[in-house]
Amino acid sequence: MICRSDKEREGMRAASRVVKAALDAAERFVRAGVTTLEIDAVIEETIRGMGAIPSSKGFCGYPNASCISVNDVVVHGIPSLQVVNDGDVVSVDVTALFKGYQGDAARTFAVGNVSAQNLALIDAAKAAFFAGLEYAKAGNRVGDVSGAIQLYTELKGYGVVRALTGHGIGRQMHEPPEVPNFGRSGTGVTLKNGMCLAIEPMITAGDWRVKVERDKWTVRTADGSNAAHYENTVIVTDGEPEILTL
């Protein structure tokens, strides 16, 4: 596992600022009537305007600067001419490379007149992140983070996606260790000061099972229930973890 130096942490902070700016731009732009491709264009323009590169574009053949997932799409939705409608929940996942370092974060946005059930789902994904974050401290284990996310989510009555996980991050988009959103406390890799993690609960309003579409990217809930995604890049420290993408 890689523990980042002070200089490397500064690089991670700078890359994460780009990601935050791109998500902020997306949030301002997302509304009923726009297409997911138009949202993606705003994100790419923001990233490149800050001198960074959208990491997802070209990654294993992925065609766009962001992943935009609507309603029952959990993650990896490919931007298209799909129009966002009033009442939709729209998850936006952005990764950017800036001067050799990666930042990664995701948000789920409520569009217009969203139902109380969908608003609660969005809030629960965010709260699940913070439940896990409480344990992202040196000396704890990855399973402590994972178990806290699962416990919070399932006590609220939501499903925790198991087929996809959070991950380490640094000079590469995905680095060890994996950070599942389910598991047992006291298990897994021991966290150390300077480790950088992308912690990202993906939760569903129904069952936790998912399916992958024929495009080999789009991941939907198997039962058609809506999903929410909340992610930040975090530095583990001996004290409170540092969130880089807020």
Side-chain angles (χ1 to χ4, degrees), residues 20-31 34 42 46 109:
K20 181 182 183 301
L23 284 170
D24 288 346
E27 183 175 18
R28 290 189 296 269
F29 186 77
V30 172
R31 60 188 181 276
V34 303
V42 168
T46 303
F109 303 124

Side-chain angles (χ1 to χ4, degrees), residues 27-46:
E27 183 175 18
R28 290 189 296 269
F29 186 77
V30 172
R31 60 188 181 276
V34 303
T35 68
T36 57
L37 195 59
E38 288 173 323
I39 300 168
D40 181 71
V42 168
I43 290 167
E44 182 165 8
E45 181 180 12
T46 303

Side-chain angles (χ1 to χ4, degrees), residues 196-217:
C196 293
L197 308 175
I199 301 173
E200 51 177 320
M202 292 157 271
I203 73 172
T204 73
D207 189 79
W208 56 265
R209 293 172 178 82
V210 297
K211 59 184 180 182
V212 181
E213 297 287 272
R214 290 182 180 179
D215 61 23
K216 298 183 180 179
W217 285 106

Side-chain angles (χ1 to χ4, degrees), residues 8-185:
E8 289 174 314
R9 295 183 203 196
E10 281 303 315
M12 295 295 296
R13 292 183 186 107
S16 294
R17 284 193 290 270
V18 174
V19 169
K20 181 182 183 301
L23 284 170
D24 288 346
E27 183 175 18
R28 290 189 296 269
F29 186 77
V30 172
R31 60 188 181 276
V34 303
T35 68
T36 57
L37 195 59
E38 288 173 323
I39 300 168
D40 181 71
V42 168
I43 290 167
E44 182 165 8
E45 181 180 12
T46 303
I47 292 171
R48 294 194 186 279
M50 296 179 73
I53 297 169
S55 306
S56 65
K57 195 163 191 176
F59 178 77
C60 295
Y62 187 80
N64 293 90
S66 64
C67 298
I68 303 179
S69 307
V70 181
N71 294 332
D72 66 322
V73 177
V74 182
V75 288
H76 303 162
I78 299 174
S80 68
L81 296 178
Q82 178 182 5
V83 174
V84 174
N85 294 310
D86 185 67
D88 283 346
V89 293
V90 179
S91 297
V92 179
D93 191 354
V94 175
T95 310
L97 175 66
F98 183 66
K99 296 184 178 179
Y101 294 94
Q102 304 274 356
D104 190 1
R107 302 286 185 267
T108 301
F109 303 124
V111 180
N113 299 300
V114 174
S115 70
Q117 292 84 355
N118 281 334
L119 288 174
L121 175 68
I122 293 169
D123 289 344
K126 181 177 180 179
F129 165 84
F130 283 100
L133 182 74
E134 184 176 344
Y135 294 89
K137 300 175 183 179
N140 288 341
R141 292 178 177 268
V142 166
D144 299 328
V145 177
S146 305
I149 290 171
Q150 181 179 11
L151 179 63
Y152 177 87
T153 304
E154 293 183 346
L155 284 175
K156 290 292 184 179
Y158 298 109
V160 181
V161 173
R162 289 157 168 72
L164 303 145
T165 72
H167 50 89
I169 185 170
R171 290 191 173 273
Q172 303 297 321
M173 191 191 315
H174 298 123
E175 297 183 352
E178 286 192 347
V179 185
N181 296 308
F182 68 100
R184 287 191 302 114
S185 62

